[in-house]
Amino acid sequence: MRGAMLHAPGDIRVEQRADPKIEQPTDAVIRLAATCVCGSDLWPYRGIEPVTGPAPMGHEYVGIVEEVGSEVRSIRPGQFVVGSFFASDNTCEICRAGYQSSCIHRELMGPLGAQAEYLRVPLADGTLVATPEVPSDDLVPSLLAASDVLGTGWFGAVAAEAGPGKTVVVVGDGAVGLLAVLAAKQLGAERIIAMSRHEPRQKLAIAYGATDIVTERGDAGVARIKELTGGLGAHSVVEAVGTQESMMQAIRATRPGGHVGYVGVAHGVTLPGEELFFSHAHLHGGPAPVRRFLPELIDLICNREIDPGKVFDLELPLDQAAEGYRAMDERRAIKALLRP
Amino acid sequence: MRGAMLHAPGDIRVEQRADPKIEQPTDAVIRLAATCVCGSDLWPYRGIEPVTGPAPMGHEYVGIVEEVGSEVRSIRPGQFVVGSFFASDNTCEICRAGYQSSCIHRELMGPLGAQAEYLRVPLADGTLVATPEVPSDDLVPSLLAASDVLGTGWFGAVAAEAGPGKTVVVVGDGAVGLLAVLAAKQLGAERIIAMSRHEPRQKLAIAYGATDIVTERGDAGVARIKELTGGLGAHSVVEAVGTQESMMQAIRATRPGGHVGYVGVAHGVTLPGEELFFSHAHLHGGPAPVRRFLPELIDLICNREIDPGKVFDLELPLDQAAEGYRAMDERRAIKALLRP
């Protein structure tokens, strides 16, 4: 099959890879209907994370089950399924508490390389959620979004305790941030402030339910949020970037007793203990347990109540994955969908 | 009146100070029934926090109202009252959300010096809670504990979401840690693991409801907690020290999705963002909003359902405050009560 490989920073190639096979009796192999490039794929692409030799890329996937191992019970060939970036058994105590991305048997999907024609999915019964029927093609981008960016934005909004009566700030206008806006709206937030200085992203944020746009960043951004919230700060802040600046912006924009939900993968972040202590903020986040939310998100998408697929503003054949990376790296595209 | 002053690290003197007076119409002046030395008083006493000239000390207090300002409505002379280390209006949006120690009008009590015969309390209506009647003398230590260490330990347990079915770890065996054990027990925790290597403190922890004692610290302590929790870590961890080691011990002892409640005043702590991200822990804490819990705690004490006053294992006349500091500094005493 063909699949994307990162050879060195900036060097993505779609080339021949071995077809994945059932290796464990709990595995499934799926034929991808669509996959995409993640903001987190840009960290190694930019050389900020080290690249050691050619590595398969991609961890977002939807598709049709081709084959299942002998111990797979609930997932069947022919089903259209959505999974996430961690395979999980969905039965251990951590999974049952809703933290499938910390499952005691979790396996990271990235190294298996979802930017490809086929993908082996470990722990198929726990990891995959089937749609009620094979969806029409126009729903595929939204279901693909559920695989990571929607689930991650949703977790950010849940971790920030977005809900009725709340003012929610979203730091970061990538796909995750934009979908945190959508999530906050669905969760009933009263006011949603998107921090963005990019007009197309501002427009999408407003389409998803943002009531205010703040273009300032850092201290000026915090000051603006305070101004908009009677000097107190927001009840809920979703952090969807992962840098020192964005984390501090999120913490400082939160009122005492408020909640920061942080889902941007932290890179080089250190939090000052004293400031955190006196901030009185709640902090929660980490790799989103997307599996927790998948059944609900699939329902909302299949009932056409939400349209998270709008974050894909570039669609390419898999063979042009390199252009998808370039467009995202240069911020010409919010998110690139790849069709195998 | 006489009051304790810190002149330099290690140099506490009880000397003549001006009698406090009503300065604002919302003030009260109380005659102290008892006051005490706080673990946090030891930071400047040890020179870890800078000492700039002679400073009044003490922020824990119970006593009889002597006089109130013209705008005080609910507090009356003759009442026995308990307050906390931040004066608060108890009416602003932050107070109403339960974060009185971040009240928009908060005033720190420490600089007013509660280790004295009399104390001016700002925002008396918001800050002070009166007992149903003047309590018998044997209840005074417990009511004094409610002023800070009980309220702080209680907040730690609430922030860590201690409750039925939960395994709770308490890091720190000072008065706050011991009272976090008591709080976890009251909140219905199933299992309470106190981390302590001091026998008298272990005994008090067990008297307050600890089911297990762990003497190891740091990585070894974390390993022991994992061993006791099926490899997962605790649901709830209260951090009641405030050092880098104790914070990391708390975070690492928490299972994914679990809660750290941190109430040790952070000194020189920096949290590594990546580790925090992948820990999946909830983090909440800060200066305890003791005022939120005072009505409930006063009830429990006056009904003799809890006996937090047992943390005072040394009682001295105010004039011997210096010995109280020394005993706590040398860990000869858990907590020193001072009688003016």
Side-chain angles (χ1 to χ4, degrees):
Chain A
M1 69 166 185
R2 297 183 65 73
M5 302 283 282
L6 183 65
H7 284 255
D11 182 6
I12 278 278
R13 303 180 207 165
V14 175
E15 52 197 35
Q16 206 60 32
R17 286 178 48 203
D19 286 342
K21 289 181 303 206
I22 300 293
E23 294 178 11
Q24 300 291 328
T26 47
D27 286 350
V29 168
I30 67 173
R31 179 165 43 83
L32 290 153
T35 179
C36 51
V37 183
C38 184
S40 69
D41 293 332
L42 297 181
W43 292 104
Y45 180 81
R46 289 171 173 160
I48 299 170
E49 274 176 15
V51 181
T52 51
M57 294 293 288
H59 54 263
E60 295 157 287
Y61 54 98
V62 293
I64 300 282
V65 179
E66 283 278 308
E67 193 186 349
V68 298
S70 60
E71 290 177 17
V72 174
R73 294 283 167 269
S74 61
I75 295 296
R76 297 183 310 274
Q79 284 180 323
F80 188 95
V81 292
V82 186
S84 182
F85 49 87
F86 270 115
S88 55
D89 63 24
N90 210 32
T91 58
C92 76
E93 207 173 321
I94 301 299
C95 281
R96 292 201 314 274
Y99 286 86
Q100 289 90 342
S101 42
S102 280
C103 171
I104 62 170
H105 295 120
R106 72 176 180 181
E107 291 184 47
L108 198 51
M109 293 300 297
L112 302 178
Q115 289 161 7
E117 291 178 89
Y118 294 90
L119 177 69
R120 181 175 72 85
V121 180
L123 302 167
D125 279 334
T127 306
L128 297 171
V129 179
T131 56
E133 53 196 38
V134 174
S136 66
D137 200 57
D138 66 319
L139 287 178
V140 167
S142 286
L143 290 165
L144 179 62
S147 171
D148 180 351
V149 282
L150 174 60
T152 296
W154 199 276
F155 174 58
V158 167
E161 302 220 340
K166 299 283 187 79
T167 294
V168 180
V169 166
V170 178
V171 179
D173 62 1
V176 171
L178 292 166
L179 292 171
V181 170
L182 177 153
K185 174 75 178 172
Q186 285 290 315
L187 293 165
E190 185 172 301
R191 190 174 187 188
I192 303 168
I193 306 172
M195 303 192 85
S196 170
R197 45 179 64 186
H198 302 272
E199 211 192 317
R201 295 168 189 235
Q202 293 171 353
K203 280 189 180 153
L204 193 46
I206 287 166
Y208 278 156
T211 53
D212 302 78
I213 300 288
V214 164
T215 55
E216 295 89 342
R217 282 191 194 176
D219 291 348
V222 171
R224 185 79 187 106
I225 297 298
K226 290 279 175 75
E227 212 176 284
L228 289 169
T229 53
L232 302 179
H235 301 96
S236 303
V237 179
V238 180
E239 191 286 331
V241 183
T243 62
Q244 183 71 22
E245 186 189 28
S246 63
M247 273 301 279
M248 296 316 301
Q249 189 173 317
I251 291 166
R252 291 172 182 158
T254 307
R255 68 176 58 193
H259 292 76
V260 177
Y262 63 105
V263 290
V265 182
H267 280 80
V269 172
T270 55
L271 301 181
E274 280 81 346
E275 180 171 350
L276 198 61
F277 186 83
F278 289 101
S279 77
H280 261 156
H282 295 75
L283 227 63
H284 185 45
V290 175
R291 177 65 183 80
R292 189 204 309 178
F293 307 108
L294 274 182
E296 182 183 359
L297 300 180
I298 289 173
D299 268 5
L300 288 169
I301 291 164
C302 289
N303 295 333
R304 298 184 186 272
E305 290 176 49
I306 58 174
D307 189 4
K310 279 193 278 189
V311 295
F312 295 106
D313 53 354
L314 179 64
E315 188 171 325
L316 296 166
L318 173 62
D319 282 341
Q320 293 176 36
E323 168 55 16
Y325 276 79
R326 263 195 306 276
M328 283 178 65
D329 178 40
E330 295 163 9
R331 289 180 76 85
R332 284 185 280 116
I334 298 174
K335 196 165 175 73
L337 183 144
L338 305 174
R339 295 271 185 182
Chain B
M1 68 165 186
R2 296 183 65 73
M5 302 283 281
L6 182 65
H7 284 255
D11 182 6
I12 278 279
R13 303 178 207 165
V14 175
E15 52 198 32
Q16 207 59 34
R17 287 177 47 202
D19 287 342
K21 288 182 303 204
I22 300 291
E23 294 179 12
Q24 300 292 327
T26 47
D27 286 349
V29 168
I30 67 172
R31 179 164 44 82
L32 290 153
T35 179
C36 50
V37 183
C38 184
S40 69
D41 293 332
L42 296 181
W43 292 103
Y45 180 81
R46 289 171 171 160
I48 298 170
E49 274 175 17
V51 180
T52 52
M57 294 293 288
H59 53 263
E60 295 158 286
Y61 54 98
V62 293
I64 300 283
V65 179
E66 283 276 309
E67 192 187 351
V68 299
S70 60
E71 290 176 17
V72 175
R73 293 284 168 268
S74 60
I75 295 297
R76 298 182 308 275
Q79 284 181 324
F80 188 95
V81 290
V82 186
S84 182
F85 50 85
F86 270 114
S88 55
D89 63 24
N90 211 31
T91 57
C92 76
E93 206 173 321
I94 301 298
C95 281
R96 292 201 314 273
Y99 287 86
Q100 289 90 341
S101 42
S102 280
C103 170
I104 62 171
H105 295 120
R106 72 175 180 180
E107 290 184 47
L108 197 51
M109 293 299 298
L112 302 177
Q115 289 161 6
E117 291 178 89
Y118 294 90
L119 177 69
R120 180 175 73 84
V121 180
L123 303 167
D125 279 334
T127 306
L128 297 171
V129 179
T131 57
E133 53 197 38
V134 174
S136 66
D137 200 54
D138 66 319
L139 287 177
V140 167
S142 286
L143 291 164
L144 178 62
S147 172
D148 180 351
V149 282
L150 173 60
T152 296
W154 198 276
F155 175 57
V158 167
E161 302 219 340
K166 298 284 187 80
T167 293
V168 180
V169 166
V170 178
V171 179
D173 61 2
V176 171
L178 293 166
L179 292 171
V181 169
L182 178 153
K185 173 76 178 172
Q186 285 289 315
L187 293 165
E190 186 173 299
R191 189 175 188 187
I192 304 168
I193 305 171
M195 304 193 85
S196 170
R197 44 179 64 186
H198 302 273
E199 211 193 317
R201 295 168 189 235
Q202 293 172 353
K203 281 189 180 154
L204 193 46
I206 287 168
Y208 279 156
T211 53
D212 302 79
I213 300 287
V214 165
T215 54
E216 294 89 342
R217 283 191 194 175
D219 290 347
V222 171
R224 185 80 186 106
I225 297 298
K226 290 278 174 75
E227 212 176 285
L228 290 169
T229 53
L232 301 179
H235 301 96
S236 303
V237 180
V238 180
E239 192 285 330
V241 183
T243 63
Q244 183 71 23
E245 185 190 27
S246 64
M247 274 300 279
M248 295 317 299
Q249 189 173 318
I251 292 166
R252 292 172 182 160
T254 306
R255 69 177 57 194
H259 292 76
V260 176
Y262 62 105
V263 289
V265 182
H267 280 79
V269 172
T270 55
L271 301 181
E274 280 82 347
E275 180 172 349
L276 198 62
F277 186 83
F278 288 101
S279 77
H280 260 156
H282 295 75
L283 227 63
H284 185 45
V290 176
R291 178 65 184 81
R292 188 205 305 180
F293 307 109
L294 276 182
E296 181 183 359
L297 299 180
I298 288 173
D299 268 4
L300 288 169
I301 292 164
C302 290
N303 296 333
R304 298 183 185 272
E305 290 176 48
I306 58 174
D307 189 4
K310 279 193 277 189
V311 295
F312 294 107
D313 53 353
L314 178 64
E315 187 170 326
L316 296 166
L318 173 62
D319 282 343
Q320 294 175 35
E323 168 54 18
Y325 276 78
R326 263 196 307 274
M328 283 178 63
D329 179 39
E330 296 164 7
R331 289 180 78 85
R332 283 185 282 116
I334 299 173
K335 197 166 174 73
L337 183 144
L338 305 173
R339 295 270 186 182

